[in-house]
Amino acid sequence: MMRTRPLKVALLGCGVVGSEVARIMTTHADDLAARIGAPVELAGIAVRRPDRVREGVPAELVTTDATALVKRGDIDVVIEVIGGIEPARALITAAFEHGASVVSANKALVAADGAALHAAAEANGADLYYEAAVAGAIPLVRPLRESLAGDKVNRVLGIVNGTTNFILDKMDSTGAGYSEALDEATALGYAEADPTADVEGFDAAAKAAILAGIAFHTRVTIDDVHREGLTEVTAADIASAQRMGCTVKLLAICERAADGASVTARVHPAMIPLTHPLASVREAYNAVFVEADAAGQLMFYGPGAGGSPTASAVLGDLVAVCRNKLSGTTGPGESAYTRLPVSPMGAVITRYHISLDVADKPGVLAQVATIFAEHGVSIDTVRQQGKDGEASLVIVTHRAADAALSSTVGALRELDTVRGVASIMRVEGE
C-alpha cells in the first residue's frame, strides 16, 4: 500500500542540472511515487539569483536562504547540485544534522572530503548518494559499490570527461591542433568559457579519486591522484599514435598493485590501441572499463555530462534514498577497510612513447640506447627520420617504472646530440 504523506525534498541549485531535476520531479511525479511507494514533494529550491526566469519552476518554492531550507525539520532528502566545496559542505552537514539524507552531484567535494561526509551521514543515520558525481547518466558508482561488492576489482580505466574526449576526437579525426579543437568544443557548448577544470584534468582527477576509493575499499582523495592535462598534446602526437595503430585519450586510471599492497590513481593523456574498446568512444561520450577477478572485463558507456543525463542519475539516487527512508534503513556507506596506501606516480609501471630531436649523425642512436639501458628501461621499437643535419627519434619502450623513465629522460637531456625532448606519452590499454 502506498503511503499518502509525501516525502519532502529540498533542492540546492537550479541551474542546468537542478532545473532538469525539478522538471522531472514534476512531470514524472506519479511514476516516481509508484516506484518509491510514496509521493515525493519538492518543498523548496535554494538559488543565488531568485530573479532569473526558470521555466516550469514554481516561483513560490524559490528561496535564497539555503541554510534555513536544509534545517527545516520536515525535509526528508536534500539534493545538492550547486557544486564546489563551500557552502555545499556546510549545507550537506547541516542537512544530516537535521535528519535529511543527501543526494549530491558534487565530485569536487566528495573527492576532497568524502570520508568526513560519510562519517556525518552515518552519525545521523542518513544516506549519502552521489552517482551523478562521476559519469553523468552512466550507472557506475552503484555497480562498483553494490553489484561488484563481492568481487575483487583490480583496475578501473576510463574516459570520464566529455570535453577532453571531444577535443582529442576532433584532433584525431580532422588533424586539428589543440586550440582549434578547443574552439570548436566551446562553440558547441561542450567546453566552459574557462575550460581549465576539464583540459587540465582536475575534473577527471576528482572522479578518479571517487572511483578508486569505491573500487579498492580504501580512502583516496583528489590530492592522491597524479594529474596531467591535455594542453601539451600536439597534432604531431596524434599523428604518431595513428602510425602506431593507436589513438590518444585522456584517461583516468585506478589500479591495484600486483602484490595487492597498494593502489595508484592517475589522470593523463595516453595512447591506446585502436583494438581497445575505449578507442572507439567518440565525441563527448564517456566510458569506463572495469577489470575484476570474477566478473572479468566490464565496460560502462554513455553520456557523461549535461542536464538531462546528470538529472537521470540524481533521480535514480533519489528513488533509492526515498525507499530507504520508507523502510527505516540506509544504503551502503563508506567502505575503506583495506586501508591501502596510494603509491606515488614514480612507482607506476607502463609503456612510453618518446619523441626526441637529435643531431643527424652516426652514433646518436647508440648513445641514446645506452642511456636507456643504463637506467633499466628496455626499448621495444625505434623509428628514425633525418634531414639537413637534424633528425627525430621515436622510441617506444617496454613496460618500465615512471621513476626510471624520468631519470632516463633527464640523462638524455644532458647529451650534446639530443636537441630536445619533443614529447613523452604513456601507452596504455594493452
Side-chain angles (χ1 to χ4, degrees), residues 233-268:
V233 177
T234 66
D237 293 327
I238 301 293
S240 290
Q242 291 172 339
R243 285 191 290 269
M244 289 176 57
C246 293
T247 189
V248 177
K249 300 291 186 182
L250 185 76
L251 298 178
I253 306 170
C254 312
E255 294 177 305
R256 189 191 300 267
D259 62 4
S262 65
V263 300
T264 58
R266 50 196 163 104
V267 168
H268 54 71

mmCIF file of all heavy atoms in Angstrom, residues 233-268:
data_model
loop_
_atom_site.group_PDB
_atom_site.id
_atom_site.type_symbol
_atom_site.label_atom_id
_atom_site.label_comp_id
_atom_site.label_asym_id
_atom_site.label_seq_id
_atom_site.Cartn_x
_atom_site.Cartn_y
_atom_site.Cartn_z
ATOM 1 N N VAL A 233 49.293 18.213 -25.685
ATOM 2 C CA VAL A 233 49.138 17.236 -26.764
ATOM 3 C C VAL A 233 49.090 17.968 -28.096
ATOM 4 O O VAL A 233 48.321 18.921 -28.278
ATOM 5 C CB VAL A 233 47.866 16.391 -26.574
ATOM 6 C CG1 VAL A 233 47.678 15.433 -27.759
ATOM 7 C CG2 VAL A 233 47.931 15.613 -25.267
ATOM 8 N N THR A 234 49.922 17.542 -29.036
ATOM 9 C CA THR A 234 50.019 18.213 -30.329
ATOM 10 C C THR A 234 49.471 17.347 -31.452
ATOM 11 O O THR A 234 49.258 16.130 -31.286
ATOM 12 C CB THR A 234 51.485 18.559 -30.652
ATOM 13 O OG1 THR A 234 52.214 17.326 -30.835
ATOM 14 C CG2 THR A 234 52.117 19.364 -29.524
ATOM 15 N N ALA A 235 49.283 17.976 -32.596
ATOM 16 C CA ALA A 235 48.865 17.223 -33.787
ATOM 17 C C ALA A 235 49.906 16.175 -34.142
ATOM 18 O O ALA A 235 49.573 15.094 -34.643
ATOM 19 C CB ALA A 235 48.640 18.182 -34.949
ATOM 20 N N ALA A 236 51.192 16.478 -33.862
ATOM 21 C CA ALA A 236 52.254 15.507 -34.138
ATOM 22 C C ALA A 236 52.112 14.282 -33.238
ATOM 23 O O ALA A 236 52.364 13.143 -33.675
ATOM 24 C CB ALA A 236 53.618 16.153 -33.921
ATOM 25 N N ASP A 237 51.701 14.479 -31.986
ATOM 26 C CA ASP A 237 51.470 13.344 -31.087
ATOM 27 C C ASP A 237 50.344 12.461 -31.611
ATOM 28 O O ASP A 237 50.425 11.225 -31.583
ATOM 29 C CB ASP A 237 51.101 13.833 -29.673
ATOM 30 C CG ASP A 237 52.246 14.548 -28.988
ATOM 31 O OD1 ASP A 237 53.406 14.173 -29.223
ATOM 32 O OD2 ASP A 237 51.977 15.478 -28.205
ATOM 33 N N ILE A 238 49.292 13.106 -32.073
ATOM 34 C CA ILE A 238 48.156 12.357 -32.627
ATOM 35 C C ILE A 238 48.596 11.564 -33.849
ATOM 36 O O ILE A 238 48.240 10.388 -34.023
ATOM 37 C CB ILE A 238 47.006 13.310 -32.997
ATOM 38 C CG1 ILE A 238 46.526 14.107 -31.776
ATOM 39 C CG2 ILE A 238 45.857 12.532 -33.622
ATOM 40 C CD1 ILE A 238 45.865 13.307 -30.700
ATOM 41 N N ALA A 239 49.395 12.185 -34.705
ATOM 42 C CA ALA A 239 49.876 11.504 -35.913
ATOM 43 C C ALA A 239 50.775 10.332 -35.547
ATOM 44 O O ALA A 239 50.705 9.260 -36.178
ATOM 45 C CB ALA A 239 50.627 12.492 -36.803
ATOM 46 N N SER A 240 51.629 10.494 -34.538
ATOM 47 C CA SER A 240 52.491 9.395 -34.090
ATOM 48 C C SER A 240 51.648 8.231 -33.582
ATOM 49 O O SER A 240 51.944 7.059 -33.857
ATOM 50 C CB SER A 240 53.429 9.874 -32.987
ATOM 51 O OG SER A 240 54.401 10.760 -33.491
ATOM 52 N N ALA A 241 50.595 8.545 -32.832
ATOM 53 C CA ALA A 241 49.705 7.492 -32.333
ATOM 54 C C ALA A 241 49.056 6.750 -33.495
ATOM 55 O O ALA A 241 48.969 5.516 -33.493
ATOM 56 C CB ALA A 241 48.640 8.095 -31.419
ATOM 57 N N GLN A 242 48.625 7.475 -34.500
ATOM 58 C CA GLN A 242 47.988 6.837 -35.653
ATOM 59 C C GLN A 242 48.949 5.895 -36.371
ATOM 60 O O GLN A 242 48.549 4.812 -36.817
ATOM 61 C CB GLN A 242 47.464 7.910 -36.605
ATOM 62 C CG GLN A 242 46.294 8.701 -36.046
ATOM 63 C CD GLN A 242 45.902 9.882 -36.923
ATOM 64 O OE1 GLN A 242 46.692 10.365 -37.726
ATOM 65 N NE2 GLN A 242 44.678 10.370 -36.754
ATOM 66 N N ARG A 243 50.223 6.299 -36.479
ATOM 67 C CA ARG A 243 51.209 5.433 -37.125
ATOM 68 C C ARG A 243 51.432 4.147 -36.329
ATOM 69 O O ARG A 243 51.824 3.122 -36.890
ATOM 70 C CB ARG A 243 52.528 6.187 -37.301
ATOM 71 C CG ARG A 243 52.507 7.208 -38.425
ATOM 72 C CD ARG A 243 53.893 7.733 -38.741
ATOM 73 N NE ARG A 243 54.424 8.577 -37.690
ATOM 74 C CZ ARG A 243 54.263 9.896 -37.651
ATOM 75 N NH1 ARG A 243 53.574 10.507 -38.615
ATOM 76 N NH2 ARG A 243 54.791 10.600 -36.665
ATOM 77 N N MET A 244 51.181 4.195 -35.026
ATOM 78 C CA MET A 244 51.318 3.011 -34.172
ATOM 79 C C MET A 244 50.035 2.176 -34.107
ATOM 80 O O MET A 244 49.978 1.170 -33.401
ATOM 81 C CB MET A 244 51.689 3.418 -32.746
ATOM 82 C CG MET A 244 53.089 3.941 -32.571
ATOM 83 S SD MET A 244 53.326 4.487 -30.857
ATOM 84 C CE MET A 244 52.939 2.981 -29.941
ATOM 85 N N GLY A 245 48.994 2.618 -34.805
ATOM 86 C CA GLY A 245 47.706 1.944 -34.703
ATOM 87 C C GLY A 245 47.014 2.260 -33.396
ATOM 88 O O GLY A 245 46.298 1.422 -32.832
ATOM 89 N N CYS A 246 47.212 3.498 -32.916
ATOM 90 C CA CYS A 246 46.649 3.926 -31.632
ATOM 91 C C CYS A 246 45.877 5.227 -31.802
ATOM 92 O O CYS A 246 45.902 5.864 -32.855
ATOM 93 C CB CYS A 246 47.756 4.149 -30.606
ATOM 94 S SG CYS A 246 48.651 2.685 -30.083
ATOM 95 N N THR A 247 45.191 5.629 -30.753
ATOM 96 C CA THR A 247 44.599 6.950 -30.641
ATOM 97 C C THR A 247 44.946 7.490 -29.268
ATOM 98 O O THR A 247 45.393 6.744 -28.392
ATOM 99 C CB THR A 247 43.070 6.904 -30.862
ATOM 100 O OG1 THR A 247 42.566 8.244 -30.959
ATOM 101 C CG2 THR A 247 42.369 6.172 -29.729
ATOM 102 N N VAL A 248 44.755 8.783 -29.065
ATOM 103 C CA VAL A 248 45.092 9.415 -27.791
ATOM 104 C C VAL A 248 43.813 9.753 -27.034
ATOM 105 O O VAL A 248 42.889 10.353 -27.596
ATOM 106 C CB VAL A 248 45.934 10.692 -28.001
ATOM 107 C CG1 VAL A 248 46.218 11.381 -26.663
ATOM 108 C CG2 VAL A 248 47.235 10.354 -28.715
ATOM 109 N N LYS A 249 43.760 9.384 -25.762
ATOM 110 C CA LYS A 249 42.638 9.692 -24.891
ATOM 111 C C LYS A 249 43.163 10.227 -23.560
ATOM 112 O O LYS A 249 44.257 9.853 -23.127
ATOM 113 C CB LYS A 249 41.794 8.439 -24.621
ATOM 114 C CG LYS A 249 41.176 7.785 -25.851
ATOM 115 C CD LYS A 249 40.090 8.660 -26.467
ATOM 116 C CE LYS A 249 39.372 7.951 -27.610
ATOM 117 N NZ LYS A 249 38.346 8.833 -28.243
ATOM 118 N N LEU A 250 42.386 11.103 -22.923
ATOM 119 C CA LEU A 250 42.699 11.495 -21.550
ATOM 120 C C LEU A 250 42.046 10.453 -20.647
ATOM 121 O O LEU A 250 40.820 10.345 -20.594
ATOM 122 C CB LEU A 250 42.160 12.881 -21.226
ATOM 123 C CG LEU A 250 42.578 13.388 -19.844
ATOM 124 C CD1 LEU A 250 44.036 13.853 -19.859
ATOM 125 C CD2 LEU A 250 41.676 14.520 -19.360
ATOM 126 N N LEU A 251 42.871 9.679 -19.955
ATOM 127 C CA LEU A 251 42.376 8.541 -19.184
ATOM 128 C C LEU A 251 42.475 8.775 -17.685
ATOM 129 O O LEU A 251 43.435 9.374 -17.199
ATOM 130 C CB LEU A 251 43.176 7.283 -19.538
ATOM 131 C CG LEU A 251 43.113 6.803 -20.981
ATOM 132 C CD1 LEU A 251 43.992 5.573 -21.160
ATOM 133 C CD2 LEU A 251 41.677 6.506 -21.399
ATOM 134 N N ALA A 252 41.490 8.288 -16.980
ATOM 135 C CA ALA A 252 41.564 8.135 -15.530
ATOM 136 C C ALA A 252 41.861 6.663 -15.275
ATOM 137 O O ALA A 252 41.121 5.783 -15.740
ATOM 138 C CB ALA A 252 40.246 8.531 -14.873
ATOM 139 N N ILE A 253 42.955 6.400 -14.568
ATOM 140 C CA ILE A 253 43.405 5.017 -14.372
ATOM 141 C C ILE A 253 43.594 4.762 -12.883
ATOM 142 O O ILE A 253 44.383 5.445 -12.215
ATOM 143 C CB ILE A 253 44.722 4.743 -15.116
ATOM 144 C CG1 ILE A 253 44.579 5.105 -16.594
ATOM 145 C CG2 ILE A 253 45.142 3.287 -14.965
ATOM 146 C CD1 ILE A 253 45.887 5.100 -17.358
ATOM 147 N N CYS A 254 42.883 3.798 -12.366
ATOM 148 C CA CYS A 254 42.986 3.402 -10.961
ATOM 149 C C CYS A 254 43.362 1.926 -10.940
ATOM 150 O O CYS A 254 42.649 1.092 -11.524
ATOM 151 C CB CYS A 254 41.663 3.610 -10.230
ATOM 152 S SG CYS A 254 40.909 5.232 -10.506
ATOM 153 N N GLU A 255 44.465 1.590 -10.263
ATOM 154 C CA GLU A 255 44.969 0.219 -10.296
ATOM 155 C C GLU A 255 45.345 -0.268 -8.906
ATOM 156 O O GLU A 255 45.865 0.491 -8.084
ATOM 157 C CB GLU A 255 46.202 0.127 -11.191
ATOM 158 C CG GLU A 255 45.936 0.378 -12.655
ATOM 159 C CD GLU A 255 47.211 0.335 -13.487
ATOM 160 O OE1 GLU A 255 48.165 1.076 -13.170
ATOM 161 O OE2 GLU A 255 47.247 -0.452 -14.450
ATOM 162 N N ARG A 256 45.103 -1.539 -8.696
ATOM 163 C CA ARG A 256 45.616 -2.222 -7.513
ATOM 164 C C ARG A 256 46.970 -2.821 -7.885
ATOM 165 O O ARG A 256 47.120 -3.415 -8.959
ATOM 166 C CB ARG A 256 44.649 -3.334 -7.094
ATOM 167 C CG ARG A 256 44.958 -3.989 -5.742
ATOM 168 C CD ARG A 256 44.111 -5.240 -5.573
ATOM 169 N NE ARG A 256 42.673 -4.955 -5.616
ATOM 170 C CZ ARG A 256 41.930 -4.718 -4.544
ATOM 171 N NH1 ARG A 256 42.498 -4.713 -3.344
ATOM 172 N NH2 ARG A 256 40.634 -4.476 -4.656
ATOM 173 N N ALA A 257 47.970 -2.660 -7.020
ATOM 174 C CA ALA A 257 49.295 -3.206 -7.298
ATOM 175 C C ALA A 257 49.227 -4.725 -7.421
ATOM 176 O O ALA A 257 48.338 -5.374 -6.853
ATOM 177 C CB ALA A 257 50.270 -2.816 -6.194
ATOM 178 N N ALA A 258 50.173 -5.287 -8.170
ATOM 179 C CA ALA A 258 50.176 -6.737 -8.402
ATOM 180 C C ALA A 258 50.225 -7.524 -7.095
ATOM 181 O O ALA A 258 49.625 -8.600 -6.987
ATOM 182 C CB ALA A 258 51.353 -7.114 -9.300
ATOM 183 N N ASP A 259 50.930 -6.978 -6.096
ATOM 184 C CA ASP A 259 51.011 -7.681 -4.811
ATOM 185 C C ASP A 259 49.842 -7.350 -3.888
ATOM 186 O O ASP A 259 49.771 -7.849 -2.755
ATOM 187 C CB ASP A 259 52.339 -7.377 -4.109
ATOM 188 C CG ASP A 259 52.507 -5.894 -3.787
ATOM 189 O OD1 ASP A 259 51.565 -5.108 -4.035
ATOM 190 O OD2 ASP A 259 53.589 -5.516 -3.276
ATOM 191 N N GLY A 260 48.940 -6.482 -4.349
ATOM 192 C CA GLY A 260 47.766 -6.144 -3.568
ATOM 193 C C GLY A 260 48.022 -5.236 -2.385
ATOM 194 O O GLY A 260 47.111 -4.953 -1.603
ATOM 195 N N ALA A 261 49.246 -4.720 -2.260
ATOM 196 C CA ALA A 261 49.616 -3.965 -1.063
ATOM 197 C C ALA A 261 49.398 -2.461 -1.194
ATOM 198 O O ALA A 261 49.547 -1.735 -0.214
ATOM 199 C CB ALA A 261 51.073 -4.233 -0.709
ATOM 200 N N SER A 262 49.080 -1.972 -2.389
ATOM 201 C CA SER A 262 48.890 -0.542 -2.591
ATOM 202 C C SER A 262 48.028 -0.321 -3.821
ATOM 203 O O SER A 262 47.727 -1.259 -4.570
ATOM 204 C CB SER A 262 50.239 0.172 -2.747
ATOM 205 O OG SER A 262 50.894 -0.271 -3.923
ATOM 206 N N VAL A 263 47.650 0.936 -4.031
ATOM 207 C CA VAL A 263 46.892 1.312 -5.227
ATOM 208 C C VAL A 263 47.517 2.561 -5.822
ATOM 209 O O VAL A 263 48.285 3.272 -5.168
ATOM 210 C CB VAL A 263 45.400 1.568 -4.899
ATOM 211 C CG1 VAL A 263 44.752 0.330 -4.321
ATOM 212 C CG2 VAL A 263 45.251 2.758 -3.956
ATOM 213 N N THR A 264 47.175 2.827 -7.075
ATOM 214 C CA THR A 264 47.571 4.075 -7.724
ATOM 215 C C THR A 264 46.344 4.681 -8.397
ATOM 216 O O THR A 264 45.414 3.969 -8.789
ATOM 217 C CB THR A 264 48.666 3.860 -8.785
ATOM 218 O OG1 THR A 264 48.192 2.932 -9.781
ATOM 219 C CG2 THR A 264 49.943 3.338 -8.155
ATOM 220 N N ALA A 265 46.356 6.003 -8.519
ATOM 221 C CA ALA A 265 45.279 6.708 -9.215
ATOM 222 C C ALA A 265 45.918 7.855 -9.994
ATOM 223 O O ALA A 265 46.697 8.628 -9.433
ATOM 224 C CB ALA A 265 44.254 7.237 -8.224
ATOM 225 N N ARG A 266 45.602 7.941 -11.278
ATOM 226 C CA ARG A 266 46.257 8.930 -12.122
ATOM 227 C C ARG A 266 45.352 9.346 -13.276
ATOM 228 O O ARG A 266 44.454 8.581 -13.689
ATOM 229 C CB ARG A 266 47.567 8.380 -12.680
ATOM 230 C CG ARG A 266 47.446 6.993 -13.323
ATOM 231 C CD ARG A 266 48.807 6.321 -13.504
ATOM 232 N NE ARG A 266 48.691 4.905 -13.741
ATOM 233 C CZ ARG A 266 48.848 4.314 -14.933
ATOM 234 N NH1 ARG A 266 49.127 5.045 -15.991
ATOM 235 N NH2 ARG A 266 48.743 3.009 -15.057
ATOM 236 N N VAL A 267 45.593 10.552 -13.770
ATOM 237 C CA VAL A 267 44.886 11.082 -14.932
ATOM 238 C C VAL A 267 45.924 11.695 -15.848
ATOM 239 O O VAL A 267 46.723 12.530 -15.412
ATOM 240 C CB VAL A 267 43.854 12.146 -14.519
ATOM 241 C CG1 VAL A 267 43.333 12.901 -15.741
ATOM 242 C CG2 VAL A 267 42.698 11.513 -13.764
ATOM 243 N N HIS A 268 45.939 11.281 -17.104
ATOM 244 C CA HIS A 268 46.894 11.835 -18.071
ATOM 245 C C HIS A 268 46.522 11.384 -19.480
ATOM 246 O O HIS A 268 45.796 10.400 -19.656
ATOM 247 C CB HIS A 268 48.326 11.381 -17.750
ATOM 248 C CG HIS A 268 48.494 9.903 -17.624
ATOM 249 N ND1 HIS A 268 48.434 9.054 -18.705
ATOM 250 C CD2 HIS A 268 48.709 9.108 -16.544
ATOM 251 C CE1 HIS A 268 48.614 7.804 -18.303
ATOM 252 N NE2 HIS A 268 48.777 7.815 -16.991
#
